[in-house]
Amino acid sequence: MLINSNQTQQKQVRLSLIIPTYNEAKNISLLISQLTQLLDTVIPQQYELIIVDDNSPDLTWKIAQELTMTYPQLKVVNRDHERGLSTAVIRGWEISQGEVLGVIDADLQHPPETLAKLWTEIERGADLVVASRNVEGGGVSEWSLLRRCLSRGAQILGLIILPGIIGKISDPMSGYFFVRRHCLMGCQLNPLGYKILIEVLAKGKIAWISEVGYVFQERKEGESKVSRQHYFDYIRHLVRLRLSVGEFGRFIRFALVGLSGVFVDMTILYLLSDPTTLAFPLTRSKILAAELAIINNFLWNDVWTFGDIAKKQPSKKQKFKRLIKFNLVCLAGLIMNVLLLNICFNLFNINRYLANTIAIAIVTIWNYWINLKLSWRSTEIINNE
Ligand code: GDD
Ligand code: MN
């Protein structure tokens, strides 16, 4: 899902606040009245509220549509066949007009009065401002010890898998924040489950992050939709971002492709050279095994690891050039691999398979670095007028 510019806007809309709802019939009227009272003092006539409902069985969407008669600044989207908090928020952002995109829960657990402090931070120049439970003035009301542990546990897991992103703020689990539209322009947002903020932190071009403390309130009506599935979605989301974000993510993809190549290499080496199979000479078997592994790796790297660069050079000729360069780099790596294998095997008497593993590990780092700089380097053609 792509966030685009708000070029078509008629009047100046500064804030688009998205309210994702599912079975919030008992909360939505009070929330809208509190939000409009507050925002009419902070940015009168310059904001819009967008409720995105997923066909709630309690007819939240119907109540919301009736509210639009009273509140012209309110829009309602009812999604028939989709479910999910994060995708609902993005759906709202996609149709919004505001320079600043916001999200707040519909169940009054996110105190509306915090909006004024969030907006102050935007006015000061922040790109992203997050309502946080873990800074001064923040907290949770009567959360059970289990819920506190689960929330903190999720944060620690995020810090282990994605330290560079989750570590940017004190409450990455927050579902209450504002972000400037231009920070997300052109970003392909495709989050999983509940944690839209992690996707924004990972994909957005965000320089200035600010945080505002708030106390997460007790829900008075209805119940939380958080389920065990959301925790699995969260982990999948973290792993997917880990694999897709930054050069470290690219190296992990390259290493995973290399792992598939090791499997191809070992299988062919076993089939050709093992005394119990064809018992061909070790070096010749190794060269054939490695070449097949190289072709396997090129195909996967061209589509997945370096796919973003490769698609800028789509022609068959360019692809063939990449294959040749990749092969040359890997052949150099192969020579290094065979040398290292023989040194470890013959000089240091290391078991052949362990020796092969050590050799492959060293050569993988060589292959990654040289291929990044040589085979897939995106040659931006600068037209010298
Ligand atoms: N459209 C839509 N579709 N809305 C949903 C869905 C869905 O599938 N599931 C939940 N919502 C809406 C709820 O109606 C509510 O407005 C908001 O998303 C939060 O849902 P809750 O089920 O109340 O979540 P929570 O209170 O346990 O956790 C919330 O607060 C945490 C702390 O900020 C969520 O916002 C979490 O993401 C957040 O970490
Ligand atoms: Mn809630």
Side-chain angles (χ1 to χ4, degrees), residues 42-83:
V42 177
I43 38 174
Q45 309 293 323
Q46 294 179 310
Y47 69 91
E48 62 180 353
L49 304 177
I50 303 176
I51 290 174
V52 183
D53 189 72
D54 288 351
N55 223 6
S56 299
D58 74 354
L59 304 183
T60 305
W61 53 273
K62 201 163 170 22
I63 299 166
Q65 276 163 356
E66 285 153 14
L67 287 170
T68 56
M69 308 300 171
T70 321
Y71 303 101
Q73 64 272 53
L74 174 62
K75 282 184 198 151
V76 179
V77 173
N78 183 26
R79 302 192 303 174
D80 286 335
H81 308 296
E82 287 176 274
R83 262 300 304 266

Short mmCIF file of all heavy atoms in Angstrom, two decimals, residues 42-83:
data_model
loop_
_atom_site.label_atom_id
_atom_site.label_comp_id
_atom_site.label_asym_id
_atom_site.label_seq_id
_atom_site.Cartn_x
_atom_site.Cartn_y
_atom_site.Cartn_z
N VAL A 42 -7.63 23.25 18.83
CA VAL A 42 -6.21 23.18 18.45
C VAL A 42 -6.00 23.57 16.98
O VAL A 42 -5.20 24.44 16.67
CB VAL A 42 -5.65 21.75 18.69
CG1 VAL A 42 -4.21 21.64 18.24
CG2 VAL A 42 -5.80 21.37 20.17
N ILE A 43 -6.74 22.96 16.06
CA ILE A 43 -6.60 23.30 14.63
C ILE A 43 -7.99 23.37 13.98
O ILE A 43 -8.36 22.50 13.18
CB ILE A 43 -5.73 22.30 13.84
CG1 ILE A 43 -5.95 20.84 14.29
CG2 ILE A 43 -4.28 22.65 13.90
CD1 ILE A 43 -5.22 19.82 13.43
N PRO A 44 -8.79 24.39 14.39
CA PRO A 44 -10.18 24.48 13.91
C PRO A 44 -10.26 24.48 12.38
O PRO A 44 -9.44 25.11 11.72
CB PRO A 44 -10.66 25.82 14.49
CG PRO A 44 -9.45 26.56 14.90
CD PRO A 44 -8.38 25.57 15.17
N GLN A 45 -11.21 23.69 11.86
CA GLN A 45 -11.48 23.64 10.41
C GLN A 45 -10.32 23.06 9.58
O GLN A 45 -10.37 23.11 8.35
CB GLN A 45 -11.78 25.06 9.85
CG GLN A 45 -12.83 25.85 10.58
CD GLN A 45 -14.23 25.23 10.42
OE1 GLN A 45 -14.56 24.70 9.36
NE2 GLN A 45 -14.98 25.24 11.50
N GLN A 46 -9.28 22.59 10.23
CA GLN A 46 -8.12 22.13 9.41
C GLN A 46 -7.77 20.68 9.69
O GLN A 46 -6.61 20.28 9.59
CB GLN A 46 -6.90 23.02 9.72
CG GLN A 46 -7.07 24.46 9.27
CD GLN A 46 -5.84 25.26 9.63
OE1 GLN A 46 -5.37 25.23 10.76
NE2 GLN A 46 -5.29 25.94 8.63
N TYR A 47 -8.77 19.93 10.10
CA TYR A 47 -8.47 18.50 10.35
C TYR A 47 -9.63 17.65 9.82
O TYR A 47 -10.72 18.16 9.56
CB TYR A 47 -8.28 18.25 11.85
CG TYR A 47 -9.56 18.40 12.64
CD1 TYR A 47 -10.39 17.30 12.87
CD2 TYR A 47 -9.96 19.64 13.14
CE1 TYR A 47 -11.58 17.44 13.57
CE2 TYR A 47 -11.15 19.79 13.83
CZ TYR A 47 -11.96 18.69 14.04
OH TYR A 47 -13.15 18.84 14.72
N GLU A 48 -9.35 16.38 9.63
CA GLU A 48 -10.43 15.44 9.26
C GLU A 48 -10.26 14.18 10.11
O GLU A 48 -9.14 13.83 10.51
CB GLU A 48 -10.37 15.08 7.77
CG GLU A 48 -9.08 14.39 7.34
CD GLU A 48 -9.02 14.04 5.85
OE1 GLU A 48 -10.04 14.20 5.13
OE2 GLU A 48 -7.93 13.62 5.41
N LEU A 49 -11.38 13.57 10.40
CA LEU A 49 -11.37 12.29 11.14
C LEU A 49 -11.84 11.23 10.16
O LEU A 49 -12.85 11.44 9.45
CB LEU A 49 -12.34 12.37 12.33
CG LEU A 49 -12.11 13.50 13.34
CD1 LEU A 49 -13.20 13.47 14.42
CD2 LEU A 49 -10.73 13.40 13.98
N ILE A 50 -11.14 10.11 10.10
CA ILE A 50 -11.54 9.04 9.17
C ILE A 50 -11.69 7.74 9.95
O ILE A 50 -10.70 7.23 10.49
CB ILE A 50 -10.51 8.87 8.04
CG1 ILE A 50 -10.30 10.18 7.27
CG2 ILE A 50 -10.98 7.76 7.06
CD1 ILE A 50 -9.22 10.13 6.18
N ILE A 51 -12.91 7.29 10.06
CA ILE A 51 -13.15 6.00 10.72
C ILE A 51 -13.05 4.91 9.66
O ILE A 51 -13.65 5.03 8.58
CB ILE A 51 -14.57 5.97 11.35
CG1 ILE A 51 -14.61 6.91 12.56
CG2 ILE A 51 -14.97 4.54 11.74
CD1 ILE A 51 -16.00 7.06 13.17
N VAL A 52 -12.24 3.90 9.94
CA VAL A 52 -12.14 2.76 9.01
C VAL A 52 -12.62 1.51 9.77
O VAL A 52 -11.95 1.03 10.67
CB VAL A 52 -10.71 2.56 8.50
CG1 VAL A 52 -10.67 1.41 7.47
CG2 VAL A 52 -10.18 3.84 7.87
N ASP A 53 -13.82 1.09 9.39
CA ASP A 53 -14.42 -0.06 10.09
C ASP A 53 -14.38 -1.30 9.20
O ASP A 53 -14.32 -1.18 7.97
CB ASP A 53 -15.88 0.28 10.45
CG ASP A 53 -16.47 -0.77 11.37
OD1 ASP A 53 -16.09 -0.81 12.55
OD2 ASP A 53 -17.27 -1.60 10.87
N ASP A 54 -14.36 -2.43 9.82
CA ASP A 54 -14.33 -3.70 9.04
C ASP A 54 -15.65 -4.43 9.21
O ASP A 54 -15.70 -5.58 9.66
CB ASP A 54 -13.15 -4.56 9.51
CG ASP A 54 -11.82 -3.99 9.05
OD1 ASP A 54 -11.85 -3.03 8.25
OD2 ASP A 54 -10.77 -4.46 9.51
N ASN A 55 -16.71 -3.71 8.82
CA ASN A 55 -18.03 -4.37 8.81
C ASN A 55 -18.38 -4.96 10.17
O ASN A 55 -18.78 -6.13 10.27
CB ASN A 55 -18.04 -5.50 7.76
CG ASN A 55 -19.34 -5.47 6.97
OD1 ASN A 55 -20.15 -4.55 7.13
ND2 ASN A 55 -19.56 -6.47 6.15
N SER A 56 -18.19 -4.14 11.22
CA SER A 56 -18.41 -4.65 12.58
C SER A 56 -19.80 -5.24 12.74
O SER A 56 -20.80 -4.60 12.34
CB SER A 56 -18.26 -3.51 13.59
OG SER A 56 -16.98 -2.97 13.52
N PRO A 57 -19.89 -6.39 13.33
CA PRO A 57 -21.21 -6.99 13.61
C PRO A 57 -22.08 -6.08 14.49
O PRO A 57 -23.31 -6.11 14.37
CB PRO A 57 -20.87 -8.30 14.33
CG PRO A 57 -19.44 -8.59 13.99
CD PRO A 57 -18.78 -7.27 13.74
N ASP A 58 -21.45 -5.24 15.32
CA ASP A 58 -22.29 -4.37 16.18
C ASP A 58 -22.68 -3.07 15.47
O ASP A 58 -23.13 -2.11 16.08
CB ASP A 58 -21.57 -4.08 17.51
CG ASP A 58 -20.43 -3.07 17.34
OD1 ASP A 58 -20.12 -2.67 16.18
OD2 ASP A 58 -19.84 -2.67 18.35
N LEU A 59 -22.44 -3.04 14.13
CA LEU A 59 -22.87 -1.91 13.28
C LEU A 59 -22.21 -0.59 13.66
O LEU A 59 -22.81 0.49 13.53
CB LEU A 59 -24.40 -1.77 13.31
CG LEU A 59 -25.19 -3.04 12.91
CD1 LEU A 59 -26.70 -2.75 12.91
CD2 LEU A 59 -24.76 -3.56 11.52
N THR A 60 -20.95 -0.65 14.10
CA THR A 60 -20.20 0.58 14.37
C THR A 60 -20.26 1.51 13.16
O THR A 60 -20.45 2.72 13.28
CB THR A 60 -18.73 0.24 14.68
OG1 THR A 60 -18.67 -0.71 15.74
CG2 THR A 60 -17.92 1.47 15.02
N TRP A 61 -20.07 0.91 11.98
CA TRP A 61 -20.01 1.71 10.74
C TRP A 61 -21.31 2.49 10.50
O TRP A 61 -21.30 3.62 10.06
CB TRP A 61 -19.70 0.82 9.55
CG TRP A 61 -20.63 -0.37 9.41
CD1 TRP A 61 -20.50 -1.59 10.02
CD2 TRP A 61 -21.87 -0.42 8.70
NE1 TRP A 61 -21.57 -2.40 9.73
CE2 TRP A 61 -22.43 -1.71 8.92
CE3 TRP A 61 -22.56 0.49 7.89
CZ2 TRP A 61 -23.64 -2.11 8.36
CZ3 TRP A 61 -23.77 0.09 7.34
CH2 TRP A 61 -24.30 -1.20 7.57
N LYS A 62 -22.42 1.90 10.93
CA LYS A 62 -23.74 2.55 10.71
C LYS A 62 -23.87 3.76 11.63
O LYS A 62 -24.25 4.86 11.21
CB LYS A 62 -24.85 1.53 11.02
CG LYS A 62 -26.19 1.82 10.39
CD LYS A 62 -27.07 0.56 10.40
CE LYS A 62 -28.51 0.79 10.02
NZ LYS A 62 -28.84 1.95 9.25
N ILE A 63 -23.45 3.58 12.87
CA ILE A 63 -23.47 4.71 13.84
C ILE A 63 -22.54 5.81 13.34
O ILE A 63 -22.87 6.99 13.33
CB ILE A 63 -23.03 4.22 15.24
CG1 ILE A 63 -24.00 3.15 15.75
CG2 ILE A 63 -22.93 5.39 16.22
CD1 ILE A 63 -23.49 2.39 16.95
N ALA A 64 -21.38 5.38 12.86
CA ALA A 64 -20.40 6.36 12.35
C ALA A 64 -20.97 7.15 11.18
O ALA A 64 -20.83 8.38 11.11
CB ALA A 64 -19.13 5.62 11.94
N GLN A 65 -21.65 6.44 10.28
CA GLN A 65 -22.23 7.15 9.12
C GLN A 65 -23.28 8.17 9.58
O GLN A 65 -23.34 9.30 9.08
CB GLN A 65 -22.85 6.14 8.14
CG GLN A 65 -21.77 5.57 7.21
CD GLN A 65 -22.21 4.28 6.51
OE1 GLN A 65 -23.30 3.76 6.77
NE2 GLN A 65 -21.33 3.78 5.66
N GLU A 66 -24.07 7.82 10.60
CA GLU A 66 -25.05 8.78 11.13
C GLU A 66 -24.34 9.99 11.75
O GLU A 66 -24.78 11.13 11.63
CB GLU A 66 -25.97 8.11 12.17
CG GLU A 66 -27.01 7.18 11.52
CD GLU A 66 -27.45 6.04 12.46
OE1 GLU A 66 -27.16 6.13 13.68
OE2 GLU A 66 -28.04 5.06 11.96
N LEU A 67 -23.17 9.74 12.34
CA LEU A 67 -22.42 10.85 12.96
C LEU A 67 -21.95 11.87 11.92
O LEU A 67 -21.73 13.05 12.24
CB LEU A 67 -21.22 10.30 13.74
CG LEU A 67 -21.51 9.57 15.05
CD1 LEU A 67 -20.24 8.87 15.58
CD2 LEU A 67 -22.05 10.55 16.10
N THR A 68 -21.78 11.43 10.67
CA THR A 68 -21.26 12.37 9.65
C THR A 68 -22.27 13.50 9.41
O THR A 68 -21.91 14.57 8.96
CB THR A 68 -20.99 11.64 8.32
OG1 THR A 68 -22.20 11.00 7.89
CG2 THR A 68 -19.88 10.60 8.45
N MET A 69 -23.54 13.27 9.76
CA MET A 69 -24.54 14.35 9.62
C MET A 69 -24.19 15.50 10.58
O MET A 69 -24.34 16.67 10.27
CB MET A 69 -25.95 13.85 9.99
CG MET A 69 -26.40 12.60 9.29
SD MET A 69 -26.39 12.89 7.49
CE MET A 69 -26.68 11.25 6.92
N THR A 70 -23.71 15.13 11.75
CA THR A 70 -23.40 16.15 12.77
C THR A 70 -21.98 16.70 12.60
O THR A 70 -21.73 17.86 12.90
CB THR A 70 -23.51 15.50 14.19
OG1 THR A 70 -24.60 14.61 14.23
CG2 THR A 70 -23.55 16.53 15.29
N TYR A 71 -21.08 15.83 12.15
CA TYR A 71 -19.67 16.24 12.06
C TYR A 71 -19.20 16.18 10.60
O TYR A 71 -18.80 15.12 10.12
CB TYR A 71 -18.81 15.30 12.92
CG TYR A 71 -19.21 15.24 14.38
CD1 TYR A 71 -19.96 14.17 14.88
CD2 TYR A 71 -18.86 16.27 15.26
CE1 TYR A 71 -20.33 14.13 16.21
CE2 TYR A 71 -19.23 16.23 16.60
CZ TYR A 71 -19.97 15.15 17.08
OH TYR A 71 -20.34 15.10 18.40
N PRO A 72 -19.25 17.27 9.88
CA PRO A 72 -18.84 17.26 8.46
C PRO A 72 -17.36 16.89 8.28
O PRO A 72 -16.95 16.45 7.22
CB PRO A 72 -19.09 18.70 7.99
CG PRO A 72 -19.28 19.51 9.22
CD PRO A 72 -19.67 18.61 10.34
N GLN A 73 -16.58 17.05 9.35
CA GLN A 73 -15.14 16.73 9.23
C GLN A 73 -14.88 15.22 9.38
O GLN A 73 -13.74 14.76 9.40
CB GLN A 73 -14.32 17.51 10.25
CG GLN A 73 -14.58 17.20 11.73
CD GLN A 73 -15.70 18.01 12.33
OE1 GLN A 73 -16.81 18.01 11.77
NE2 GLN A 73 -15.46 18.68 13.44
N LEU A 74 -15.99 14.47 9.54
CA LEU A 74 -15.85 13.01 9.72
C LEU A 74 -16.12 12.27 8.42
O LEU A 74 -17.10 12.56 7.72
CB LEU A 74 -16.83 12.53 10.79
CG LEU A 74 -16.91 11.00 11.03
CD1 LEU A 74 -15.56 10.45 11.51
CD2 LEU A 74 -18.03 10.68 12.02
N LYS A 75 -15.23 11.32 8.07
CA LYS A 75 -15.45 10.44 6.92
C LYS A 75 -15.50 9.01 7.45
O LYS A 75 -14.85 8.71 8.47
CB LYS A 75 -14.29 10.54 5.93
CG LYS A 75 -14.28 11.75 5.03
CD LYS A 75 -13.10 11.63 4.04
CE LYS A 75 -12.75 12.98 3.42
NZ LYS A 75 -11.31 13.06 3.06
N VAL A 76 -16.21 8.16 6.77
CA VAL A 76 -16.32 6.76 7.22
C VAL A 76 -16.02 5.82 6.05
O VAL A 76 -16.54 6.02 4.95
CB VAL A 76 -17.73 6.45 7.76
CG1 VAL A 76 -17.84 4.97 8.20
CG2 VAL A 76 -18.07 7.37 8.93
N VAL A 77 -15.14 4.88 6.29
CA VAL A 77 -14.86 3.82 5.30
C VAL A 77 -15.28 2.50 5.95
O VAL A 77 -14.88 2.22 7.08
CB VAL A 77 -13.34 3.75 4.96
CG1 VAL A 77 -13.04 2.54 4.07
CG2 VAL A 77 -12.88 5.05 4.32
N ASN A 78 -16.13 1.76 5.26
CA ASN A 78 -16.48 0.44 5.80
C ASN A 78 -15.94 -0.63 4.86
O ASN A 78 -16.34 -0.70 3.70
CB ASN A 78 -18.01 0.29 5.92
CG ASN A 78 -18.36 -1.06 6.55
OD1 ASN A 78 -17.56 -1.61 7.31
ND2 ASN A 78 -19.51 -1.60 6.20
N ARG A 79 -15.02 -1.43 5.35
CA ARG A 79 -14.38 -2.45 4.49
C ARG A 79 -15.17 -3.76 4.63
O ARG A 79 -15.27 -4.29 5.74
CB ARG A 79 -12.93 -2.66 4.88
CG ARG A 79 -12.07 -1.40 4.82
CD ARG A 79 -10.61 -1.70 4.93
NE ARG A 79 -10.26 -2.44 6.14
CZ ARG A 79 -9.01 -2.90 6.34
NH1 ARG A 79 -8.07 -2.73 5.43
NH2 ARG A 79 -8.71 -3.54 7.45
N ASP A 80 -15.69 -4.23 3.51
CA ASP A 80 -16.51 -5.46 3.58
C ASP A 80 -15.69 -6.71 3.81
O ASP A 80 -16.05 -7.58 4.58
CB ASP A 80 -17.27 -5.64 2.26
CG ASP A 80 -18.41 -4.62 2.18
OD1 ASP A 80 -18.85 -4.20 3.28
OD2 ASP A 80 -18.80 -4.23 1.08
N HIS A 81 -14.59 -6.82 3.04
CA HIS A 81 -13.92 -8.14 3.04
C HIS A 81 -12.52 -8.11 3.62
O HIS A 81 -11.70 -8.95 3.32
CB HIS A 81 -13.86 -8.67 1.60
CG HIS A 81 -15.20 -8.67 0.92
ND1 HIS A 81 -16.26 -9.44 1.35
CD2 HIS A 81 -15.68 -7.92 -0.12
CE1 HIS A 81 -17.32 -9.19 0.59
NE2 HIS A 81 -17.01 -8.28 -0.29
N GLU A 82 -12.22 -7.07 4.40
CA GLU A 82 -10.85 -7.04 4.96
C GLU A 82 -10.93 -6.95 6.48
O GLU A 82 -11.90 -6.43 7.02
CB GLU A 82 -10.08 -5.83 4.42
CG GLU A 82 -9.65 -5.96 2.96
CD GLU A 82 -8.98 -4.67 2.49
OE1 GLU A 82 -9.70 -3.77 2.06
OE2 GLU A 82 -7.74 -4.58 2.57
N ARG A 83 -9.93 -7.43 7.15
CA ARG A 83 -9.86 -7.32 8.61
C ARG A 83 -8.42 -6.92 8.95
O ARG A 83 -7.48 -7.35 8.27
CB ARG A 83 -10.13 -8.68 9.26
CG ARG A 83 -11.52 -8.97 9.78
CD ARG A 83 -12.08 -8.08 10.84
NE ARG A 83 -11.37 -7.88 12.08
CZ ARG A 83 -11.59 -8.59 13.19
NH1 ARG A 83 -12.39 -9.62 13.16
NH2 ARG A 83 -10.97 -8.29 14.31
#
